[in-house]
Amino acid sequence: MTRFTRPFTAQPADIDELGHVNNAVWVRWIQDIAVAHWQAVASPEHIAAYIWVVTRHEIDYRGNVRVGDSVVGETWVPGKPYGARFDRHVRFTGVDGKVKVEAVTTWALLDRVTGRLLRVRDEIAAPFLS
């Protein structure tokens, strides 16, 4: 499976009233890293033809990140798709080596023009599984 990483640094606008990264920001970062992974490994033809939408997020919050703190986001697709969907794992680790957030998200493939659900064919999934 292909793993993809990207750094994130908490900005003042990312912080909630408790002084740490807001839950909605973690969801945005999960989406940001998934989209970046797609754009980094998918063929230009697939990027032009398809778009992914989230159908489910399952998120475990394990630690806090405060303004100015950085984490490394890591994402991977652990197995073959099922129909139009496939699961993606995401992990954010702090500079202390501790996991701050882990997630499993389910994404569905759509035709970019029609918006219709499409089965994830082997050639679309292959770059994420090799």
Side-chain angles (χ1 to χ4, degrees):
M1 86 190 88
T2 301
R3 290 185 182 247
F4 180 82
T5 61
R6 179 178 162 199
F8 293 84
T9 300
Q11 303 301 311
D14 299 330
I15 306 303
D16 65 16
E17 63 275 4
L18 297 174
H20 53 70
V21 171
N22 185 284
N23 293 355
V25 173
W26 287 111
V27 172
R28 186 181 79 226
W29 288 357
I30 290 166
Q31 179 163 326
D32 289 350
I33 196 169
V35 170
H37 188 201
W38 166 250
Q39 292 173 342
V41 302
S43 73
E45 296 80 19
H46 290 163
I47 292 170
Y50 310 119
I51 191 164
W52 293 93
V53 295
V54 173
T55 62
R56 184 170 191 271
H57 285 302
E58 181 180 334
I59 304 170
D60 294 314
Y61 300 97
R62 304 200 183 286
N64 295 324
V65 173
R66 301 190 183 286
V67 70
D69 290 349
S70 293
V71 293
V72 172
E74 177 183 28
T75 188
W76 65 95
V77 176
K80 291 186 174 192
Y82 41 99
R85 294 176 172 79
F86 83 48
D87 288 339
R88 169 180 293 282
H89 289 235
V90 182
R91 178 182 300 135
F92 294 94
T93 305
V95 294
D96 60 1
K98 294 182 180 177
V99 174
K100 305 301 181 180
V101 168
E102 288 185 292
V104 176
T105 63
T106 304
W107 294 74
L109 183 68
L110 303 179
D111 180 283
R112 189 178 286 277
V113 174
T114 67
R116 294 186 66 181
L117 272 174
L118 299 171
R119 177 174 294 281
V120 182
R121 296 185 322 268
D122 290 344
E123 67 269 15
I124 297 169
F128 300 93
L129 302 174
S130 58

